[in-house]
Amino acid sequence: MSEFLVVYKLPVVVLLSIILFVGFCIAINYIVKIVIIKQKILKLLLEKRAREIERKNEALERNNLIQTRLISIISHDIISPLRFVHIACNSMVDDLDEIPKDLQKEMLSEIGHSAKELELLSTNIMNWIKYQNENRRMIKEEFDLSQMADQIFGVFQGLARQKKIQFKNEVNTGVVLYQYMEPVKIVIYNLILNALNFTEKGCVTISGGKAKKGILIKVKDDGKGMTEQQINNVMSDYFIVSSANVDKRKGNGLGYLIIKDMLKLVNAKFSIKSINGQGTMVTIFLPS
Amino acid sequence: MQPNIIIADDHSMVRKGMKMLLRTQLNCKNVNEVSSCNELMIELRKKECSHLILDVIFSDGTALEVVPTIRKLYPAIKIMIFSMQLVEVYADAFKQYNVHYYLSKSLNEEKSLKYITGFLNNEQNHSHSVKELHQKNPFTILAPRELEILHYLLNGHHTNDIANALNLSTSTISTVKKRIFEKTETATITQLLELAMLYNISF
């Protein structure tokens, strides 16, 4: 027995250690694999998080820029006209008798005009702020597009009459939308406001009808038109600031900013077609 | 002698209010209005002008771009800057173009009228410029050209666009841009915008 042990001791020990070693290697291999897999999972998670944070950061940065823009609009387009409404009124009250009739009329019509512009601008700023809250609760409802167009035209009737611009409502009768009503209304409001602002004479036309998978709305004007660069600017995601200048009218860029935000809410798409000097047509597709 | 006044401002309410003040309070009869840099240059070519009341920011450029041209073509015209922009930031820049009158739109009526009267009477003494409480402003140290380009930067224009708009080379714009960042101790447009908002630079 002891001989057997003596003879076989060495190989047995060697064999045992080989087995142990191989087992050890397999175990290590296994552990390493698990660690690698875990690491990969962690890395993926981390990347996902990083992307999320980056996206949120971008949104925050964009909001920041928009806020800066809004402050500038409020200071330039609201506060300073209001100051001069006040100054003009004061000086009219003080020396009404000495002011010739034509100047009086000029001033009054300007004050009225300013009041309307301020109303429209404030409405829009309010519209934009209202829909910035991501947790807002909204309910879809049914509404008639043609009626909505009439209602919005009503808001701008005074301005249109002054500029001798005609409104045409060519929406097919019976086009009923099931949508979040206010965002759609805000979009059309802004499209008509833009059309009105950049048109000197002619018509602003809204048309709409059913398409294959949704509803198409078109707002067309006979205005100055937009250059390709202006269109690209407007369509770009990073567009936050003033659209290039069209003669006397200075776009503050707020209109399209709001339009794009609202269209995102209702999952709609839009496109702009324009011939310089002959007008612009904006088409919106609302999927049903 | 009645002064021939041009008011250049992109808000019609501001122009009309100013015209009203000039006509009723200061009895100036010849007051014309223009709403953009382009219109201003056309008007100057057409009509004689003795006094120009000029806003800083227009839809088609800034006063900083047109003032040197006006100075060259019509050296006799008296110019007064009339703007919401802060005196402490812009007034020095305009002094370099020999424009010494700078009236803030936020100044009260009485003081404004006095200031305008001094301007219309061609009083040489600019020292009665209005003393007001000023905040220390990091944009004060910018040179005229830098303020000019700052306006376009804040409006989100790219170097190429600015070069085209101002008829300058892109390398000039890049250099000035770098200097603006250095002077205001900012690194990105976003930071620059934030700083501008904080210090009431409108654009």
Side-chain angles (χ1 to χ4, degrees):
Chain A
M1 195 63 199
S2 66
E3 254 175 26
F4 177 83
L5 271 175
V6 170
V7 173
Y8 291 102
K9 196 179 178 184
L10 199 66
V12 166
V13 168
V14 167
L15 200 69
L16 271 176
S17 26
I18 286 174
I19 290 168
L20 264 176
F21 181 71
V22 168
F24 184 71
C25 281
I26 290 170
I28 289 279
N29 202 357
Y30 184 66
I31 291 168
V32 165
K33 262 186 192 161
I34 287 180
V35 168
I36 287 176
I37 288 169
K38 273 196 174 164
Q39 259 179 347
K40 269 188 185 161
I41 292 173
L42 273 177
K43 206 176 150 201
L44 282 175
L45 271 175
L46 207 68
E47 274 171 5
K48 203 178 142 205
R49 271 288 154 77
R51 272 198 303 274
E52 253 169 48
I53 291 173
E54 203 173 310
R55 218 188 49 237
K56 286 215 168 124
N57 257 345
E58 267 169 25
L60 270 179
E61 202 158 285
R62 181 175 169 274
N63 272 2
N64 244 340
L65 288 178
I66 293 168
Q67 199 196 11
T68 319
R69 186 74 215 150
L70 278 183
I71 287 177
S72 169
I73 290 172
I74 290 171
S75 134
H76 197 248
D77 296 340
I78 296 186
I79 297 177
S80 79
L82 276 177
R83 268 186 58 82
F84 282 83
V85 166
H86 173 82
I87 289 176
C89 286
N90 270 357
S91 108
M92 279 179 85
V93 168
D94 287 348
D95 323 271
L96 194 60
D97 300 332
E98 291 152 40
I99 302 169
K101 272 265 173 335
D102 63 320
L103 186 59
Q104 281 186 30
K105 200 175 168 202
E106 191 184 337
M107 289 314 299
L108 280 176
S109 75
E110 183 60 44
I111 290 168
H113 179 74
S114 292
K116 187 73 197 176
E117 287 217 324
L118 290 172
E119 177 206 326
L120 298 177
L121 181 59
S122 313
T123 311
N124 241 348
I125 292 177
M126 181 186 75
N127 286 341
W128 184 79
I129 293 172
K130 226 162 105 181
Y131 285 92
Q132 287 313 296
N133 175 10
E134 284 188 15
N135 305 316
R136 63 195 119 38
R137 217 177 120 253
M138 298 195 302
I139 300 164
K140 283 189 180 175
E141 57 192 303
E142 279 190 350
F143 56 92
D144 185 289
L145 187 61
S146 175
Q147 272 176 18
M148 180 181 267
D150 273 340
Q151 197 190 19
I152 299 168
F153 278 151
V155 178
F156 297 115
Q157 205 60 62
L159 271 182
R161 209 179 298 130
Q162 250 178 24
K163 294 183 79 176
K164 298 198 174 68
I165 288 167
Q166 237 193 320
F167 282 143
K168 280 189 195 162
N169 182 352
E170 291 177 356
V171 177
N172 295 347
T173 43
V175 177
V176 175
L177 270 68
Y178 179 68
Q179 249 312 344
Y180 301 122
M181 186 160 128
E182 209 178 16
V184 176
K185 195 168 152 187
I186 293 171
V187 168
I188 299 175
Y189 174 99
N190 273 292
L191 287 175
I192 292 174
L193 181 61
N194 272 350
L196 199 60
N197 276 342
F198 292 105
T199 304
E200 288 313 315
K201 60 172 187 226
C203 296
V204 172
T205 313
I206 177 166
S207 57
K210 290 200 174 82
K212 259 186 194 164
K213 286 176 180 165
I215 280 165
L216 278 174
I217 304 171
K218 290 180 181 168
V219 175
K220 195 172 132 311
D221 67 55
D222 300 333
K224 301 278 304 173
M226 295 168 82
T227 62
E228 204 166 311
Q229 203 199 338
Q230 282 174 318
I231 295 176
N232 288 340
N233 275 345
V234 164
M235 305 295 282
S236 128
D237 259 354
Y238 293 95
F239 172 74
I240 34 119
V241 285
S242 105
S243 57
N245 334 290
V246 180
D247 281 358
K248 292 178 194 173
R249 294 288 325 182
K250 182 180 171 187
N252 50 36
L254 192 62
Y256 268 106
L257 196 76
I258 295 171
I259 291 173
K260 284 194 291 187
D261 272 4
M262 295 300 128
L263 288 179
K264 236 178 259 164
L265 283 182
V266 295
N267 278 324
K269 301 256 180 308
F270 81 113
S271 68
I272 306 173
K273 267 191 198 141
S274 181
I275 302 171
N276 222 338
Q278 288 182 35
T280 305
M281 181 166 80
V282 182
T283 308
I284 289 170
F285 175 70
L286 280 158
S288 44
Chain B
M1 202 191 81
Q2 277 278 345
N4 290 309
I5 304 170
I6 293 181
I7 304 170
D9 198 298
D10 61 348
H11 276 108
S12 57
M13 190 62 235
V14 176
R15 296 195 303 269
K16 293 277 193 290
M18 193 65 178
K19 189 166 148 188
M20 179 93 178
L21 275 186
L22 290 169
R23 279 179 69 166
T24 59
Q25 310 287 322
L26 303 173
N27 217 3
C28 301
K29 296 228 163 45
N30 311 322
V31 183
N32 285 304
E33 306 169 30
V34 292
S35 65
S36 67
C37 296
N38 201 9
E39 271 179 54
L40 172 63
M41 297 318 287
I42 294 170
E43 187 74 17
L44 284 174
R45 214 178 308 150
K46 276 198 309 210
K47 283 203 193 103
E48 202 164 310
C49 166
S50 63
H51 292 81
L52 172 62
I53 297 176
L54 186 63
D55 192 5
V56 173
I57 292 169
F58 293 91
S59 54
D60 59 346
T62 67
L64 286 160
E65 292 153 45
V66 287
V67 164
T69 321
I70 296 173
R71 274 273 165 269
K72 214 182 286 164
L73 295 173
Y74 315 96
I77 294 180
K78 303 273 184 301
I79 302 175
M80 178 180 91
I81 304 297
F82 182 54
S83 171
M84 274 295 248
Q85 296 286 5
L86 301 171
V87 179
E88 62 266 35
V89 176
Y90 281 85
D92 280 340
F94 281 104
K95 271 183 198 147
Q96 299 190 26
Y97 294 130
N98 207 12
V99 174
H100 296 278
Y101 281 92
Y102 194 112
L103 179 59
S104 161
K105 274 183 189 164
S106 53
L107 193 67
N108 74 43
E109 230 179 295
E110 204 183 316
K111 282 186 188 166
S112 300
L113 271 175
K114 227 167 130 192
Y115 195 78
I116 297 169
T117 313
F119 166 65
L120 293 176
N121 291 336
N122 306 330
E123 281 172 17
Q124 286 305 311
N125 180 14
H126 319 295
S127 60
H128 69 262
S129 61
V130 195
K131 290 272 176 292
E132 269 190 295
L133 190 63
H134 294 320
Q135 187 183 13
K136 263 211 177 107
N137 197 311
F139 291 93
T140 307
I141 48 171
L142 295 190
R145 179 83 341 135
E146 288 156 11
L147 285 172
E148 203 177 316
I149 287 165
L150 175 75
H151 166 75
Y152 287 91
L153 284 178
L154 293 177
N155 271 301
H157 291 278
H158 295 293
T159 308
N160 284 339
D161 302 338
I162 306 176
N164 279 338
L166 298 178
N167 240 334
L168 294 166
S169 74
T170 45
S171 63
T172 312
I173 305 289
S174 303
T175 319
V176 177
K177 206 165 134 185
K178 224 173 99 193
R179 261 206 319 266
I180 294 173
F181 282 139
E182 270 168 22
K183 283 189 176 176
T184 55
E185 291 171 24
T186 50
T188 62
I189 295 286
T190 316
Q191 287 176 4
L192 195 64
L193 267 168
E194 267 167 22
L195 199 69
M197 182 168 80
L198 208 55
Y199 284 94
N200 300 317
I201 306 288
S202 55
F203 47 90

